[in-house]
Amino acid sequence: MKTLIKIACFLFAVLMIPVSVMAQSVKTGKVIDQRGETVVGATIKVQGKNVGAVTDASGNFRLQLSVGDVLLCSYIGYLPVKIVYKRDADLTIRLNEDSKTLGDVLVVGYKSQSKTEITGSVASVKMDKITETQAAESFESLLQGRVAGVNIQLNSGEPGATPVIIIRGLAAVSRDDASQMSEPLYVVDGIPIISKTSSEFAVTSTNVLADLNPSDIEDVVVLKDASAAAIYGSRAANGVILITTKKGKTGKPQINLNIRTGVNIVPQLLDVAGGNKEREQVARLYNLYAPYGTFMPAMYTDVTNPFYHNSSDWQGYLYNTSITQDYNGSIRGAGDFGQYSISLGYMDNVGIKFNTGFKRYSTMASTTFNAFNKALIINNTLAVSRTDKTRPPGALGSNYSSLLPLPNNPAVKGAEVYESGNIADVNDRVRFSSDATLNITKDLSYKASLSMEYLRAMKDSVGESRRTLRVANRSAVGENRNLLFQNTVTYAPKFGDGHSLSILVGQSAEKLESKITKVSSVSSAQTLSQTVNWPNGGSIGSSDYTANTLMSYFSRMDYSYKQKYLVGASIRTDGSSKFGKANRWGVFPSVSAGWNFSKEKGLADLSWLTSGKIRGSYGLSGTTWDNDYLALGLMDGGQLDQYNSLIQITYGGMGGFTPTWKNGFKNENLTWVKTSMGNIGLDLSLFKNKIEFIFDAYEKLTKGLLLTTSLPTTSGYNEVYRNAANVLNRGLEFTLNTNMELGPSVTWSTGLNFAYNKNRVIALPDGNADIIKISTSGQDFGSIVRTGAPLNGFFFYESQGIYQAESQIPVNPKTGKRLIGLQNKALKVGDRNFKDQNGDYKIDVADRVYSGDPNPKWTGGWTNDLSYKGFSLNVVSTFVIGRDIVNNQLLDRLKLGKNFAGGSSLPNFDNYAIWEKSGDIAKYPTLNPWGDASQIINYDSEYVEDGSYFKIKSATLSYNFTKKLWKHLPFDRARVYCTMDNVVTFQKYSGPDAELVTIDGFDDSKGYPMRRMVLFGISLGL
């Protein structure tokens, strides 16, 4: 009987085999991310079975499945997904980004580190999604509003202009530079690069960083606090920006093309009273204020004049819609041998203003080779680029009278409307780096790297005066070479129960050279030559050379116990040739600690708490100055006189040098500008990474900022440089990220960050005496540096309105004389009422007071990403709150000299409250050009305005096509998009754009507004 049962069971099993086989079938599926893009290399496993697959380059996979099988899909940087297979079900698996693990490993300075174990203040931005749909000349502008505590600001809309980046507050003091900046250190693929050249050796006005194609950047990491940045020592006081370029990835070769064209639209320009309106306003000024016997020019009165009815719209002539083209292509791949990456880029951005534009040609190639079973890894990178910026030779103004005809009209041949000609600014950069890593043991490795960088800047300028017909040619070439050699040894063992240690020891040697050659010539006759005609009697030339070296030793230690308790420390010592023997070396230590409290018992089981960390740090970093020989004493070999002739210093008939009288006194005690920073932070991730919150509080003290101090005349010198100023920055930073699923196919991600910073000067030389900033030409900037106050405050006269009656003008009770105005003017009704601060009944420089703070109190940004199936919408906004700015644009246009008629355009007076008669409720005083002194002056607090703004920087609508629509084409992916840049600005400022001001708060955009661009593009993957 038992035998019969066994036989029956066997026969039943045999009969059921076909049924089981029939229940299984081979199914094809696809894995996509929350934006609808394919995920290459995702792993799909069948739970409980030894069956699995990996998605190919198109995101597809094939599996033999049965109804009811449970599929587990996972990929690095995304949350795992579990689904149940149902018959005829759509096998499209959507993965959502895991904010905890996405980009979990960051480059933090000579090494990579897990976000979980980072104890410093570090922020990262993934650039590939940004650069795919936005065209930019440089990556800095793309970071606007994305990192808390990093204030990025443009002060001109001109193509190729350099943005300003300030990390955690301004910390730069000067007596004669109205825009002194504290610039961060830029590191590309582990190599510090030339980010600018000193003013003495600057040749072009092009942003040096614009040669780096943003499309080649994988991610950007910002080291904000001293513990993170101190490993870079003497150059890290203002923060460090680490840039990692794209490399090849495992799988079949990835070919990417991005083709886009943008239309640049002219924004709303300055209001101008043109034609009859300008004529009416001029006639009114003559009737109100002109002395008896003063006649108006014929252009306003002579109806027989052929230009009487002329109305030249200079803004319309000089501003026009233009086109931006941006093309990028790359091929990348990787295998057991290593990886390779080759990219090409071309950008042509035609400016909205006449004869301006920017072009970039770039290529980058990188390779990685593995040898001896990956015991030896060799990386090589070569980047070559050229940027070409064009602009007119003079200030291309659009503020001429609308009654003037075009300059090529022979009737106004002598009018200097604009200087014909061209300036070509060309920057060539070649950057090569090579490194080799030898993995000696599992935990021990040695790395040697060599990098060479060459930057050549060239300027060719030709300009012809329409008035004098003289032609000026100028040419200049500047060369910068940077050679860097680095060695590091890393020991990173893991031992015991959850102990991990990482120790890095390194050495670097660097040499930077700069050279400049300038030549110029002036011809009294017209010429077709675009270069200097050399030699001739009207030509002159000069050259200069400078160099500095830096030797460094550094070490870093990080310890972790079960990733709960974290300790880090670093130290770097730098020796620089810039310093005298007394202070040749500087030491920069840091220490930090962190506690991942979410891993503690009792907290690890909380479903709503994904991760939580408290961290604290303190460190010392430094910075230095541009002039390589300042501590050694500066020499003078002669100078040019007003006729461009060389005044040679001679001794006994031979050319010689002498210490410069102004600042040639050497000071071998000059030392590093040192910044100490303390930081405490909190990182929280809640509800399975759907909400992320980051908080930081810091105090940054910068000591020993370089300033000149006076010397007695008996010394033979005017002044000497000393480490003499201190600046304190304190601030708070907040970041809130969310990642929500609103439905089966709808996701919404937001990023909100805002930062508060309070800046103040705490020490100055000469007994903390105020510094009123004055340019080398003697121009008073209207800025003051004062202890206890923020940097570069406005130093203006305090406006109290307009004198409406004679009785309002104060009278000195002792003398019976009325208050005397500026320039000893006898005040009268309609004049500006400035407050007599010291009560001496005379308005002069002693009555100027601190009148505003140009440093923003709050900065930040807000990003929104909304996706539905293949559609996605991205909106980026930035804002600045609590900053004062000066409306120079309006101030300069209201200044009317006695010969104003026909010279410049006038604003529409109907839009401004200008005093004309008693009883007028006016903001601006009388515009009497024939008065004994104008009341429209530079230092009037009435022109200080609220510089806060909220700007929708960009909005992008895109669609990702599925493979079904491309089945007959060789594309693995395709994305079309439309991006609007500089969408709209909300501001109280009455000028054109509250963003386009200098860091000192002056509207100095020089008539070049920020264009609005509509960009159309397609991104293809092959």
Side-chain angles (χ1 to χ4, degrees):
M1 188 67 181
K2 291 183 177 179
T3 304
L4 291 175
I5 293 175
K6 290 181 179 179
I7 294 173
C9 291
F10 174 76
L11 292 174
F12 178 79
V14 171
L15 291 173
M16 289 300 296
I17 289 176
V19 178
S20 176
V21 172
M22 291 178 61
Q24 291 185 332
S25 59
V26 176
K27 290 294 182 180
T28 300
K30 187 172 187 176
V31 179
I32 61 175
D33 63 13
Q34 59 191 23
R35 297 179 179 84
E37 298 184 1
T38 59
V39 178
V40 180
T43 300
I44 303 94
K45 294 183 179 180
V46 180
Q47 185 173 312
K49 296 181 181 180
N50 191 22
V51 177
V54 177
T55 56
D56 60 19
S58 300
N60 298 320
F61 66 91
R62 291 169 60 87
L63 274 176
Q64 190 171 18
L65 300 174
S66 301
V67 175
D69 281 346
V70 178
L71 304 183
L72 302 176
C73 181
S74 62
Y75 187 68
I76 297 175
Y78 293 84
L79 295 171
V81 172
K82 179 189 292 187
I83 65 170
V84 178
Y85 171 66
K86 300 177 181 179
R87 187 181 300 277
D88 298 327
D90 181 11
L91 269 184
T92 299
I93 303 174
R94 182 184 295 270
L95 297 179
N96 292 318
E97 294 178 353
D98 184 350
S99 61
K100 177 183 176 183
T101 60
L102 187 65
D104 187 54
V105 177
L106 300 180
V107 177
V108 292
Y110 297 101
K111 63 173 290 185
S112 297
Q113 194 172 16
S114 168
K115 271 187 177 181
T116 305
E117 297 181 342
I118 290 176
T119 52
S121 182
V122 177
S124 64
V125 178
K126 287 290 187 181
M127 296 293 291
D128 52 348
K129 301 297 182 183
I130 302 173
T131 57
E132 185 178 26
T133 58
Q134 295 188 45
E137 296 163 8
S138 61
F139 75 93
E140 306 107 291
S141 60
L142 297 177
L143 294 180
Q144 274 189 300
R146 297 182 184 273
V147 181
V150 179
N151 183 22
I152 301 174
Q153 180 179 309
L154 301 173
N155 56 30
S156 174
E158 183 180 3
T162 303
V164 174
I165 299 183
I166 299 175
I167 299 176
R168 293 189 164 182
L170 183 66
V173 179
S174 70
R175 294 184 184 274
D176 56 6
D177 189 345
S179 298
Q180 181 80 2
M181 293 182 294
S182 47
E183 187 184 44
L185 172 69
Y186 297 91
V187 179
V188 178
D189 292 331
I191 308 299
I193 65 168
I194 301 171
S195 59
K196 71 182 181 95
T197 55
S198 66
S199 57
E200 184 180 359
F201 286 82
V203 172
T204 69
S205 60
T206 309
N207 179 11
V208 177
L209 293 174
D211 72 323
L212 181 59
N213 189 346
S215 295
D216 288 333
I217 300 176
E218 180 77 23
D219 56 51
V220 174
V221 175
V222 183
L223 310 182
K224 295 188 287 186
D225 72 337
S227 72
I231 192 68
Y232 288 100
S234 62
R235 294 174 291 185
N238 302 315
V240 181
I241 295 180
L242 307 178
I243 301 164
T244 302
T245 58
K246 294 178 179 178
K247 304 295 189 295
K249 297 180 180 179
T250 304
K252 78 168 190 176
Q254 297 179 3
I255 302 175
N256 296 293
L257 298 174
N258 202 338
I259 303 167
R260 46 202 174 186
T261 300
V263 180
N264 302 315
I265 303 169
V266 180
Q268 182 176 352
L269 301 172
L270 298 174
D271 66 300
V272 173
N276 290 331
K277 183 64 177 177
E278 181 180 345
R279 189 177 295 109
E280 292 172 4
Q281 291 186 170
V282 170
R284 184 169 181 80
L285 291 175
Y286 270 87
N287 292 333
L288 287 173
Y289 307 118
Y292 180 77
T294 303
F295 297 98
M296 291 176 62
M299 64 188 301
Y300 297 107
T301 60
D302 185 4
V303 294
T304 63
N305 188 311
F307 304 115
Y308 179 80
H309 295 289
N310 186 68
S311 181
S312 298
D313 181 7
W314 292 105
Q315 293 188 141
Y317 297 144
L318 299 178
Y319 295 97
N320 286 286
T321 300
S322 64
I323 299 296
T324 291
Q325 302 176 73
D326 192 19
Y327 309 107
N328 295 281
S330 65
I331 177 170
R332 298 183 174 95
D336 293 336
F337 65 91
Q339 68 84 24
Y340 61 90
S341 172
I342 301 174
S343 65
L344 295 170
Y346 169 72
M347 184 181 197
D348 183 6
N349 183 14
V350 180
I352 59 173
K353 202 169 186 181
F354 173 75
N355 200 24
T356 62
F358 172 87
K359 292 181 180 179
R360 178 180 56 233
Y361 312 84
S362 64
T363 181
M364 179 179 289
S366 67
T367 59
T368 298
F369 298 104
N370 302 324
F372 308 115
N373 196 24
K374 296 187 179 181
L376 178 64
I377 302 174
I378 301 175
N379 297 299
N380 297 290
T381 300
L382 175 65
V384 181
S385 65
R386 162 169 284 198
T387 59
D388 188 350
K389 176 183 174 183
T390 57
R391 55 193 175 94
L396 186 57
S398 57
N399 60 337
Y400 300 101
S401 169
S402 67
L403 305 181
L404 284 177
L406 292 176
N408 58 1
N409 193 298
V412 287
K413 188 175 181 180
E416 189 73 49
V417 178
Y418 65 83
E419 186 180 354
S420 62
N422 182 64
I423 293 179
D425 287 345
V426 177
N427 285 358
D428 290 333
R429 192 201 295 251
V430 179
R431 180 169 51 85
F432 172 76
S433 63
S434 179
D435 64 73
T437 301
L438 178 63
N439 295 310
I440 302 171
T441 66
K442 177 183 177 182
D443 302 326
L444 182 64
S445 64
Y446 165 73
K447 181 178 180 180
S449 65
L450 175 67
S451 70
M452 294 172 285
E453 185 180 7
Y454 175 75
L455 173 63
R456 180 178 63 177
M458 298 171 289
K459 178 190 293 291
D460 286 306
S461 169
V462 57
E464 176 188 344
S465 170
R466 293 182 178 273
R467 180 169 48 86
T468 65
L469 299 182
R470 295 175 68 86
V471 177
N473 296 83
R474 299 177 180 87
S475 291
V477 176
E479 294 180 296
N480 296 270
R481 299 179 181 90
N482 192 14
L483 180 64
L484 174 65
F485 180 66
Q486 299 182 125
N487 292 278
T488 59
V489 176
T490 304
Y491 179 58
K494 294 183 179 180
F495 52 92
D497 183 18
H499 299 275
S500 63
L501 180 67
S502 174
I503 300 175
L504 178 142
V505 179
Q507 169 271 335
S508 70
E510 184 174 5
K511 182 177 183 180
L512 179 63
E513 297 177 284
S514 298
K515 183 179 180 181
I516 186 172
T517 302
K518 297 179 180 180
V519 292
S520 63
S521 65
V522 178
S523 173
S524 59
Q526 293 182 343
T527 177
L528 299 178
S529 174
Q530 296 289 313
T531 57
V532 175
N533 184 14
W534 185 274
N536 63 40
S539 301
I540 194 167
S542 64
S543 65
D544 203 351
Y545 171 86
T546 186
N548 70 80
T549 57
L550 185 70
M551 178 70 76
S552 306
Y553 302 93
F554 50 89
S555 180
R556 178 176 192 146
M557 184 278 291
D558 293 287
Y559 168 77
S560 168
Y561 175 64
K562 292 185 177 181
Q563 289 192 327
K564 285 195 297 184
Y565 310 112
L566 315 168
V567 177
S570 70
I571 187 169
R572 178 172 180 133
T573 177
D574 285 338
S576 173
S577 64
K578 290 187 177 184
F579 298 95
K581 295 179 180 180
N583 291 293
R584 184 57 53 85
W585 291 88
V587 180
F588 307 96
S590 74
V591 63
S592 60
W595 174 36
N596 281 310
F597 58 85
S598 58
K599 295 182 180 292
E600 295 288 351
K601 291 182 179 180
L603 296 177
D605 297 331
L606 295 177
S607 59
W608 56 270
L609 179 61
T610 307
S611 66
K613 179 171 60 177
I614 297 175
R615 47 187 167 77
S617 66
Y618 179 83
L620 189 68
S621 54
T623 189
T624 182
W625 51 82
D626 293 333
N627 195 305
D628 293 334
Y629 310 114
L630 196 60
L632 307 179
L634 303 180
M635 306 293 285
D636 190 357
Q639 58 184 348
L640 302 179
D641 64 12
Q642 58 180 330
Y643 304 104
N644 275 351
S645 298
L646 182 64
I647 302 175
Q648 184 71 43
I649 297 173
T650 61
Y651 293 91
M654 297 183 62
F657 292 86
T658 183
T660 61
W661 173 77
K662 182 180 179 182
N663 51 24
F665 193 87
K666 68 178 182 178
N667 181 3
E668 292 192 351
N669 291 314
L670 286 181
T671 186
W672 311 97
V673 178
K674 295 182 179 180
T675 294
S676 59
M677 184 186 297
N679 189 99
I680 58 172
L682 171 66
D683 302 334
L684 277 178
S685 183
L686 309 174
F687 305 109
K688 296 182 179 180
N689 303 302
K690 287 184 170 57
I691 298 177
E692 181 184 35
F693 176 74
I694 303 171
F695 167 77
D696 280 280
Y698 64 87
E699 180 178 275
K700 182 174 75 169
L701 175 60
T702 303
K703 301 180 68 175
L705 288 162
L706 201 67
L707 272 177
T708 55
T709 57
S710 300
L711 288 174
T713 56
T714 54
S715 68
Y717 297 90
N718 185 35
E719 53 195 16
V720 63
Y721 278 95
R722 291 193 176 104
N723 298 101
N726 301 340
V727 174
L728 178 66
N729 282 278
R730 288 174 174 162
L732 305 173
E733 296 171 356
F734 305 87
T735 299
L736 177 64
N737 299 319
T738 65
N739 185 9
M740 303 294 181
E741 291 186 17
L742 305 181
S745 303
V746 181
T747 62
W748 180 29
S749 300
T750 66
L752 174 65
N753 72 82
F754 49 99
Y756 170 81
N757 179 269
K758 184 176 181 180
N759 165 286
R760 78 172 187 266
V761 181
I762 61 174
L764 289 173
D766 302 325
N768 289 325
D770 291 346
I771 297 175
I772 300 175
K773 291 186 146 190
I774 298 177
S775 69
T776 53
S777 62
Q779 173 66 41
D780 187 338
F781 288 123
S783 293
I784 186 172
V785 180
R786 172 178 289 174
T787 55
L791 274 168
N792 306 324
F794 304 131
F795 193 52
F796 287 6
Y797 298 99
E798 183 181 351
S799 169
Q800 301 181 111
I802 307 297
Y803 289 118
Q804 296 286 355
E806 295 283 344
S807 59
Q808 294 180 351
I809 303 175
V811 176
N812 189 336
K814 296 181 180 180
T815 63
K817 295 182 179 180
R818 295 200 301 182
L819 177 72
I820 299 175
L822 292 171
Q823 304 175 39
N824 294 319
K825 173 182 171 60
L827 294 172
K828 56 186 178 182
V829 176
D831 287 342
R832 174 69 76 200
N833 179 357
F834 288 122
K835 184 175 181 180
D836 180 17
Q837 302 288 344
N838 58 5
D840 64 354
Y841 290 89
K842 181 179 181 181
I843 303 298
D844 55 19
V845 68
D847 295 305
R848 285 165 66 177
V849 294
Y850 195 96
S851 305
D853 179 10
N855 301 282
K857 291 180 176 61
W858 293 92
T859 60
W862 186 28
T863 62
N864 285 271
D865 287 280
L866 185 67
S867 66
Y868 172 70
K869 294 186 176 180
F871 291 95
S872 62
L873 175 66
N874 170 264
V875 180
V876 180
S877 304
T878 63
F879 57 85
V880 167
I881 301 173
R883 176 185 63 169
D884 298 317
I885 58 179
V886 180
N887 193 344
N888 292 79
Q889 291 280 356
L890 177 61
L891 176 65
D892 292 340
R893 299 173 74 211
L894 291 179
K895 290 180 181 177
L896 305 177
K898 295 180 181 179
N899 299 320
F900 73 93
S904 62
S905 67
L906 299 179
N908 189 338
F909 293 163
D910 295 341
N911 298 329
Y912 305 93
I914 300 172
W915 191 93
E916 287 188 355
K917 62 184 183 301
S918 294
D920 286 348
I921 301 176
K923 181 177 181 180
Y924 305 101
T926 174
L927 300 184
N928 181 4
W930 294 276
D932 53 353
S934 173
Q935 290 294 294
I936 308 296
I937 64 168
N938 287 337
Y939 316 120
D940 186 345
S941 66
E942 202 70 58
Y943 297 93
V944 178
E945 301 185 28
D946 186 349
S948 304
Y949 67 87
F950 180 89
K951 174 174 289 190
I952 300 179
K953 176 175 168 54
S954 67
T956 301
L957 179 64
S958 63
Y959 181 76
N960 292 292
F961 288 90
T962 63
K963 184 64 176 177
K964 294 179 181 179
L965 299 177
W966 298 93
K967 61 177 65 176
H968 301 300
L969 296 175
F971 304 136
D972 290 330
R973 64 174 186 84
R975 185 181 193 183
V976 295
Y977 54 89
C978 175
T979 299
M980 176 173 281
D981 190 50
N982 192 30
V983 182
V984 63
T985 302
F986 302 95
Q987 62 183 36
K988 292 183 179 179
Y989 178 53
S990 62
D993 194 329
E995 181 185 4
L996 299 185
V997 298
T998 67
I999 61 173
D1000 296 85
F1002 293 91
D1003 188 340
D1004 194 26
S1005 56
K1006 295 181 174 61
Y1008 212 119
M1010 181 65 66
R1011 59 61 180 141
R1012 181 173 291 112
M1013 180 173 67
V1014 180
L1015 183 74
F1016 302 93
I1018 181 170
S1019 178
L1020 302 173
L1022 306 179

